[in-house]
Every structure is written in structure tokens, then in C-alpha cells.
């Protein structure tokens, strides 16, 4: 095995978490060597744009804003693209990487950061081994999926959560026939109250979607001609040419688990984003903070700023204000600022039709979360100011 002494700060992963951390760190420290080691091509792109690319008239290539080499040059660091990390050796402070068919190589680190993201939750139902069901969580998977679509094709979307609803709206914008199936009684079921979810369902239906709520697929089967059929638990049969699963993400923990780090739903980190090994940190979709996993952009940016300062020598605990998320469904614009997980209270709804304001009233009085739709999304800034911080 060849040993390459990269040392300094080694970041595994070139998603928004990896690159944002590198950028924030370089603002504070121009000298310490930084190496990004990544299994993909290391291109810079904004993942949220994957689910509104048709509406923005962008191809998968248009979504990439910088190549790995341009990003490396601008940030004064190395990006090792197509280098998959297969092992962390904590005792030696090295990682083992695999590149193509060459034999594994070792890279040393002083501080190691895991920014390795999450995997799409596998979708399994009778027949799912016979029918291709895609999932999209990076630009390569998006390009592969996009390459198979022809305008007008029938697309089955499994899951009406945030990502599923956004993809549904975007596919409608791209001229596709869209059918959505979700076992919950309304879209965005884990984030918003019924009235808001049903307003979104109405808007997506108006835009052309067929939506089956409170229903599950019991079987997928190849069709006699082209495409396939999904059979629902009420017996309904949905013909489709392409299926996309958007049923959630599972933080990537295998690498950390094999290295003996503490794992929960994600890689467990403390207020300094430090794992159970003092030289190893984690942020972004793979990390589990004191308030759980936070698979969104604003939390990872706050994490990146805090961790950059810590790595630059000023230990900086993570602080998280209330973090609203804009749902990219132009059929009905929505902003959600969900209450912290496990909060007790009840939703209170104002407004009507497309324009709703839902406030989650906590037990001690006062709103601790909100969801806004349509014209009332303009109240976002005002309401955010009054929300309690997620981590003070
Ligand atoms: C379609 C879609 C739309 C979204 N829209 C929004 C939105 O509107 N607002 C919002 O706040 N959030 C949104 N999100 C969520 C947000 O995009 C993610 O939280 C964020 O991009 C996660 O970044 P990350 O860097 O943690 O993970 P990733 O982007 O998944 O990056 C992980 C990196 O780790 C690398 N890697 C993994 N394993 C290894 C290994 N063993 N060796 C080397 N490299 C490895 C991968 O190659 C990759 O470079 C959206 C997500 C999706 C999928």
C-alpha cells in the first residue's frame, strides 16, 4: 500500500457540507493543508436544485457550477475525486481509499471530518426486484434518471413528503403525467397540519397530478407492453413508465460504525460537532446533533461555520436559530418551520383556500413552529424572529 501524507484537515465528502466547511475554514486559515476526499466527481452543485430543475429549465449539467479542479484552485486545497473511503484506522490516524481498480491507498489526517451524507431509504414491495424504481439524492443519480425521461411519460412518485412533493411539481412543470401515492392522509404529513397538506394536494391536483393519499402500493409488476403497473391496497391499478421513490434518507453511518464511533440514527456528535473520537468530526446529513439529524441546508451551513472556527483553533459550540424551509412547490408556495421533534402542543389555523397560516402553539403559550402557504408566505421573516432557537 502507498502511504500519502496528506495530514492537516481531511474532509470526506464533497457535498454542500464538505464544500461549505472548506470555504468557511479557508476564511479563517489559509495555511493548514485541507484535502477533500470524495467518492463522486467532486463537482460543486446545489442539491436543492435537483427538484426544481425542469421549472428552472436546467439540464443536469447546468446544475454544476464548478468542477472539482476549479473549486480546489479557488479554495487552495486538494480534491481527490472518485476516491471512495473504505476504512478509517483511528489508531494510525489514516483513512484507506479505493480509486478505480488500483490497490487501496492510505491517507493520513490530523483532524478528520465526515461529511458523507445519507442514502435514499431502500424501497421494497412485492415485485420491486422486477421493476426499476429510481431514487435521486445526488446529481449523478439525477442525470441518470433525467436521461430516461421523455416529455409526456407517465411517472409514478412514491412518497409525498418534501422531496416527493417538489419532484411531483417539477415533473408537472416538465410536461410529465404524474401520479403520487403516499400512505399518509396528506402531503408533507410529518411537517405540516392537515389543512396545509390538503391545500398542497389540491394545488398539485389542479396542476395535473393524480394523488392517492392514505394508500400504499402492495405490488409492482412489469406491464405486457412497456412500463409497469402499481397495484394499491384498494385494488387501484396505476400504469407508469418510470417510478421515483422519495421515502426518506438514512444517514451514512457504516464507515463510522466500523471504526467504532458512537452511532445513533446518524454519527453522534457533541456541541462542537466532535464524534466520540476527539480527532473526528461530522456534519451535514450524516451527523446526529443533540436535536437529532437535520437534513437541510441552513443547519449544515450553521454547522460548517461553527466547525470551521473550532478547527481553526477557537472551540465554537453549534448554535441553531429556528430554521424555516421553503418548499419548492410553485403550485402552492409553502414555508415550514416545524417545532422541535417531540414538542407538545397543537396547530391553530388561520386564513382560507390557498392562503393559510398555521401556528403550532406550545403548552406554555406562544407559537413554537409555523407553516405558511400562498400569499401568507410573506410573513416568514416576521414569524421566524419570534421562534425559539433550536439550540441556544
Ligand atoms: C432533491 C432534493 C431537494 C432538496 N431541497 C432542499 C431545500 O430546498 N432546502 C433544504 O434546506 N434542503 C434541501 N434538501 C436537503 C439538502 O440538499 C441536503 O441536506 C444537503 O445537500 C446534504 O449535504 P451533505 O453534504 O451532508 O450530503 P451529500 O450531498 O449527500 O454529500 C455527501 C458526499 O459524501 C461523499 N461520500 C459518501 N460516502 C463516501 C465515502 N465512503 N468515501 C468518499 N466519499 C463519500 C459523496 O460522494 C458526497 O460527495 C434537498 C435534498 C434533495 C435530495
Amino acid at each position: 500500500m502507498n502511504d500519502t501524507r496528506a495530514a492537516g484537515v481531511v474532509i470526506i465528502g464533497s457535498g454542500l457540507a464538505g464544500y461549505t466547511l472548506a470555504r468557511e475554514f479557508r476564511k479563517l486559515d489559509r495555511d493548514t493543508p485541507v484535502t477533500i476526499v470524495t467518492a463522486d466527481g467532486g463537482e460543486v452543485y446545489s442539491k436543492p436544485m435537483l427538484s426544481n430543475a425542469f421549472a428552472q429549465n436546467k439540464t443536469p449539467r447546468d446544475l454544476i457550477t464548478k468542477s472539482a479542479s476549479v473549486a480546489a484552485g479557488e479554495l487552495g486545497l486538494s480534491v481527490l475525486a472518485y476516491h471512495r473511503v473504505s476504512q478509517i484506522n483511528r489508531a494510525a490516524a489514516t483513512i484507506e481509499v479505493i480509486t478505480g481498480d488500483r490497490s487501496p491507498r492510505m491517507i493520513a489526517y490530523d483532524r478528520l471530518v465526515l461529511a458523507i451524507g445519507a442514502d435514499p431509504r431502500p424501497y421494497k414491495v412485492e415485485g420491486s426486484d422486477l421493476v426499476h424504481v429510481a431514487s435521486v439524492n445526488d446529481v449523478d443519480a439525477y442525470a441518470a434518471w433525467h436521461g430516461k425521461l421523455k416529455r409526456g411519460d407517465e411517472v409514478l412518485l412514491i412518497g409525498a413528503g418534501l422531496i416527493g412533493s417538489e419532484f411531483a411539481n417539477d415533473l408537472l412543470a416538465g410536461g410529465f403525467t404524474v401520479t403520487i401515492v403516499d400512505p399518509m392522509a396528506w402531503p408533507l404529513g410529518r411537517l405540516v397540519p392537515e389543512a396545509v397538506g390538503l391545500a398542497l394536494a389540491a394545488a398539485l391536483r389542479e396542476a395535473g397530478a393524480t394523488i392517492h393519499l392514505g394508500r400504499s402500493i402492495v405490488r409492482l409488476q412489469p406491464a405486457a407492453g412497456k412500463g409497469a403497473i402499481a397495484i394499491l391496497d384498494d385494488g387501484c391499478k396505476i400504469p407508469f413508465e418510470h417510478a421515483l421513490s422519495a421515502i426518506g434518507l438514512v444517514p451514512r453511518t457504516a464507515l463510522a460504525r466500523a471504526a467504532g464511533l458512537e452511532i445513533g440514527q446518524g454519527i453522534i456528535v457533541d456541541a462542537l460537532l466532535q464524534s466520540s473520537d476527539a480527532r473526528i468530526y461530522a456534519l451535514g446529513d450524516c451527523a446526529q446533533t443533540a436535536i437529532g439529524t437535520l437534513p437541510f441546508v441552513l443547519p449544515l451551513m450553521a454547522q460548517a461555520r461553527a466547525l470551521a472556527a473550532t478547527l481553526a483553533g477557537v472551540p465554537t459550540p453549534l448554535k441553531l436559530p429556528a430554521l424555516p424551509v421553503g418548499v419548492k412547490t410553485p403550485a402552492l408556495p409553502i414555508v415550514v418551520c416545524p417545532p422541535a421533534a417531540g414538542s407538545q402542543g397543537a396547530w391553530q389555523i388561520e386564513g382560507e383556500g390557498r392562503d393559510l397560516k398555521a401556528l403550532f402553539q406550545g403548552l406554555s403559550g406562544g407559537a413554537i413552529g409555523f407553516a405558511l402557504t400562498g400569499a401568507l408566505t410573506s410573513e416568514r421573516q416576521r414569524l421566524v424572529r419570534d421562534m425559539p432557537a433550536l439550540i441556544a
Side-chain angles (χ1 to χ4, degrees), residues 208-225:
T210 303
I211 310 182
H212 298 263
L213 294 168
R215 291 284 157 232
S216 296
I217 296 168
V218 290
R219 197 164 75 247
L220 296 174
Q221 62 188 43

Side-chain angles (χ1 to χ4, degrees), residues 313-338:
V314 182
T316 303
L318 175 67
K319 292 200 166 87
L320 279 180
L323 297 166
V325 179
V327 186
K328 302 185 294 296
T329 43
L332 182 69
I334 299 181
V335 178
V336 293
C337 187

Side-chain angles (χ1 to χ4, degrees), residues 149 192 363:
L149 300 174
V192 302
L363 292 184

Side-chain angles (χ1 to χ4, degrees), residues 200-294:
L200 175 60
L204 290 173
R205 284 190 175 111
E206 207 172 298
T210 303
I211 310 182
H212 298 263
L213 294 168
R215 291 284 157 232
S216 296
I217 296 168
V218 290
R219 197 164 75 247
L220 296 174
Q221 62 188 43
K226 60 173 190 163
I229 296 172
I231 295 142
L232 304 191
D233 52 4
D234 61 356
C236 181
K237 292 185 177 165
I238 301 166
F240 63 92
E241 279 140 335
H242 313 278
L244 182 66
S245 162
I247 57 167
L249 296 173
V250 186
R252 292 189 178 116
T253 54
L255 203 55
R257 186 188 300 276
L261 299 180
E262 204 183 327
I263 302 298
Q265 280 181 320
I267 302 164
I268 293 180
V269 291
D270 65 11
L272 295 175
L273 284 320
Q274 196 171 53
S275 74
S276 52
D277 180 322
R279 294 171 76 175
I280 305 180
Y281 300 80
L283 81 164
D285 281 8
C286 67
Q288 179 179 336
T289 68
I291 55 163
T293 54
L294 298 161

Side-chain angles (χ1 to χ4, degrees), residues 15-55:
L16 282 169
Y19 270 126
T20 309
L21 172 65
R23 207 171 298 117
E24 293 297 329
F25 183 67
R26 273 291 175 252
K27 288 181 192 165
L28 306 171
D29 180 328
R30 294 295 311 167
D31 305 322
T32 301
V34 175
T35 306
I36 294 181
V37 183
T38 183
D40 58 35
E43 297 91 353
V44 177
Y45 72 102
S46 170
K47 190 184 288 197
M49 294 197 67
L50 299 179
S51 52
N52 68 345
F54 282 111

Side-chain angles (χ1 to χ4, degrees), residues 15-181:
L16 282 169
Y19 270 126
T20 309
L21 172 65
R23 207 171 298 117
E24 293 297 329
F25 183 67
R26 273 291 175 252
K27 288 181 192 165
L28 306 171
D29 180 328
R30 294 295 311 167
D31 305 322
T32 301
V34 175
T35 306
I36 294 181
V37 183
T38 183
D40 58 35
E43 297 91 353
V44 177
Y45 72 102
S46 170
K47 190 184 288 197
M49 294 197 67
L50 299 179
S51 52
N52 68 345
F54 282 111
Q56 306 283 323
N57 216 5
K58 293 206 185 287
T59 66
R61 279 234 63 85
D62 295 337
L63 299 178
I64 293 172
T65 52
K66 274 173 205 160
S67 67
S69 56
V70 168
E74 283 179 5
L75 292 168
L77 48 77
S78 305
V79 178
L80 304 178
Y82 303 112
H83 280 53
R84 178 168 289 283
V85 178
S86 49
Q87 204 177 310
I88 301 168
N89 184 337
R90 291 164 54 197
T94 56
I95 53 173
E96 179 188 270
V97 296
I98 309 210
T99 41
D101 12 325
R102 279 186 274 158
S103 51
R105 155 184 179 198
M106 306 300 278
I107 294 175
Y109 62 83
D110 293 324
R111 268 87 52 83
L112 181 67
V113 180
L114 305 176
I116 53 180
D119 283 314
R121 189 175 294 285
Y123 180 72
K124 286 209 171 20
V125 70
E126 187 186 334
S128 55
D129 48 340
L130 304 173
V131 173
H132 178 64
V133 178
S135 48
V136 168
N137 188 34
D138 58 51
V139 72
D140 293 337
Y142 182 70
W145 154 256
H146 189 274
K148 291 186 183 140
L149 300 174
K150 282 191 312 308
R151 204 180 164 83
D153 281 353
E154 293 177 301
V155 181
L156 170 66
L157 247 164
I158 304 168
L162 185 127
I163 307 290
S165 298
E166 290 187 354
F167 272 124
N169 203 151
D170 202 44
L171 287 161
L172 290 166
F176 299 92
T177 302
V178 176
T179 303
I180 309 168
V181 179

